[in-house]
Amino acid sequence: MSGPKRRPAIPVILLTGYLGAGKTSLLNHLLRHPDARIGVIVNDFGDLNIDAGLVVGQVDEPLSISGGCVCCLTDDSELEDALVAMTNPGLRLDAIIVEASGFAEPLTLARMITRMGHHRFHLGGVIDVVDATMYFDTVDTSSLPPLRFAATTLVLVNKLDQVPVADRDATVDAVRARVHERNPRVLVIGTHHARLDPTLIFDPGAGERGPRRGGSDVGEDPIQPELPIRELLRQAYAEAAVDEIGDDEVDAESMPHRHAQSVTVTGSGPVDPDAVMDFVEDLPPGVYRVKGTVRVAAGSGQRDFVVQAVGPNVYVAEAARPAPKAPSSNVGDGEGPDADSVLVVIGEDFDTETAEATLTTALNRGATANAQGSNRSERLLHHVRLHT
């Protein structure tokens, strides 16, 4: 018999970068996604010209942190209070984005989010936006690569449209080489106008799809309605974009660009938890995140765990209900009526065949997994305790 229903922890994405690199452009790009429900917390230190109207159209009110750089506040309870408020079940958010000051230290912020989470929210990635034309004049000016990349999970080399076409690949490669000196696990990709496929970093629409797999909508809080002004604001910003960057660029925004790759793997029976955790704790090159549910042998029974990983950040929680038996056909969900476990691998330019083969073996150990020990859940429970 399952226990009380636990709402899934909401991913918190830290958006960092020096002023003018394109953080706000990325945020507004994500907010314009038609299916996204994003909570936004803005640090008022510096010139952060967030399109507040778009935020209002998403989740009623943006929450603003004042008092300087978030990571330097003597009392960080204001940030925690804002994050907790964003976990209000009536909002049904897909993700929370904290847009930090250009002077914010990503490593400190990441530690703060992890410490505060307690399974209400968890660190869903640290995105650092850099200016392709100014990187080596602003961010990377010493002999050693910046320490900020130790905590970063994704670097966007933005404003490539301002770099000659022939030099763009070399520019991204140069930044990537320096970032990987500090942290070889960071995904580094080039963008212009901060256009990034949202599915690379969160699941648009995940908070609005009705009852969760294996769940019921009985007793669910209604989704907070979106405000009618949202569509009007979209139109207004689209018109402003025409004036700013021209009709050709605006038309290009609706064209396919830099789509994330996705591989879904399912399994029957208990998984090999060590093989699963070996994969999620050391993601292959090009893989940015992994999400899903796995079933593990535990004594005479079985336990189900929600597993998520973004770069080196791993989050595990005990699933409140059994693993999915009939996943939907939506992109990123499992397939097949008999799946006890399902993991989705998301990234850019990664070896999809190898990733699929590795996880297929891990998720379909069955009797072998049971024979290796009566309780195989300890490695996952270690991560559960880290967030409790």
Side-chain angles (χ1 to χ4, degrees), residues 227-315:
L227 303 182
I229 195 173
R230 181 181 182 190
E231 293 303 323
L232 295 176
L233 286 165
R234 278 190 183 155
Q235 181 179 352
Y237 282 111
E239 292 172 355
V242 171
D243 294 334
E244 180 181 354
I245 60 178
D247 292 287
D248 292 340
E249 289 290 352
V250 174
D251 290 341
E253 188 172 23
S254 63
M255 300 296 289
H257 59 280
R258 299 212 71 101
H259 290 293
Q261 291 176 287
S262 176
V263 171
T264 300
V265 182
T266 61
S268 298
V271 306
D272 180 344
D274 289 324
V276 170
M277 297 309 292
D278 284 345
F279 186 91
V280 301
E281 289 177 351
D282 188 14
L283 299 180
V287 172
Y288 184 60
R289 64 188 183 105
V290 176
K291 60 171 186 171
T293 308
V294 296
R295 177 162 291 178
V296 180
S300 59
Q302 297 173 338
R303 302 174 80 164
D304 297 313
F305 294 88
V306 174
V307 177
Q308 299 189 52
V310 179
N313 305 306
V314 178
Y315 171 76

Side-chain angles (χ1 to χ4, degrees), residues 7-326:
R7 297 189 182 279
I10 300 175
V12 176
I13 300 163
L14 300 179
L15 183 54
T16 67
Y18 277 64
L19 300 178
K23 298 190 305 297
T24 304
S25 295
L26 173 60
L27 177 57
N28 290 324
H29 171 68
L30 298 176
L31 289 172
R32 279 190 287 265
H33 190 286
D35 297 322
R37 292 185 66 85
I38 303 173
V40 179
I41 297 175
V42 180
N43 177 205
D44 282 335
F45 187 90
D47 183 19
L48 298 178
N49 295 315
I50 180 176
D51 291 343
L54 284 174
V55 183
V56 171
Q58 294 278 29
V59 295
D60 187 32
E61 286 290 342
L63 292 175
S64 179
I65 301 297
S66 60
C69 174
V70 172
C71 66
C72 296
L73 292 174
T74 55
D75 180 3
D76 57 30
S77 63
E78 188 178 2
L79 174 61
E80 184 171 9
D81 291 344
L83 288 168
V84 171
M86 288 288 188
T87 65
N88 181 338
L91 296 176
R92 299 284 180 86
L93 297 182
D94 303 313
I96 301 171
I97 296 180
V98 178
E99 184 177 14
S101 158
F103 299 99
E105 175 51 57
L107 186 58
T108 304
L109 285 170
R111 287 172 174 167
M112 287 169 59
I113 299 301
T114 299
R115 175 176 57 80
M116 296 171 179
H118 299 292
H119 293 296
R120 299 166 301 190
F121 49 84
H122 67 93
L123 184 62
V126 182
I127 303 176
D128 201 59
V129 184
V130 301
D131 186 334
T133 66
M134 299 291 291
Y135 173 78
F136 289 102
D137 296 321
T138 54
V139 180
D140 197 344
T141 58
S142 65
S143 59
L144 295 176
L147 182 61
R148 64 193 298 113
F149 296 134
T152 303
T153 56
L154 173 64
V155 171
L156 292 190
V157 185
N158 192 36
K159 298 187 178 181
L160 283 178
D161 54 296
Q162 299 180 22
V163 176
V165 175
D167 298 334
R168 291 177 184 176
D169 288 344
T171 298
V172 176
D173 289 343
V175 175
R176 181 182 292 113
R178 284 293 285 174
V179 171
H180 284 178
E181 285 182 44
R182 176 68 68 180
N183 185 354
R185 302 173 71 179
V186 178
L187 182 63
V188 180
I189 61 176
T191 62
H192 62 89
H193 301 295
R195 292 174 190 159
L196 180 71
D197 187 346
T199 61
L200 185 66
I201 56 177
F202 70 97
D203 302 321
E208 293 194 78
R209 291 182 190 141
R212 304 246 173 203
R213 289 192 295 243
S216 167
D217 59 1
V218 177
E220 290 283 1
D221 297 322
I223 299 173
Q224 175 176 307
E226 295 173 2
L227 303 182
I229 195 173
R230 181 181 182 190
E231 293 303 323
L232 295 176
L233 286 165
R234 278 190 183 155
Q235 181 179 352
Y237 282 111
E239 292 172 355
V242 171
D243 294 334
E244 180 181 354
I245 60 178
D247 292 287
D248 292 340
E249 289 290 352
V250 174
D251 290 341
E253 188 172 23
S254 63
M255 300 296 289
H257 59 280
R258 299 212 71 101
H259 290 293
Q261 291 176 287
S262 176
V263 171
T264 300
V265 182
T266 61
S268 298
V271 306
D272 180 344
D274 289 324
V276 170
M277 297 309 292
D278 284 345
F279 186 91
V280 301
E281 289 177 351
D282 188 14
L283 299 180
V287 172
Y288 184 60
R289 64 188 183 105
V290 176
K291 60 171 186 171
T293 308
V294 296
R295 177 162 291 178
V296 180
S300 59
Q302 297 173 338
R303 302 174 80 164
D304 297 313
F305 294 88
V306 174
V307 177
Q308 299 189 52
V310 179
N313 305 306
V314 178
Y315 171 76
V316 180
E318 287 203 65
R321 298 186 182 277
K325 282 295 186 180

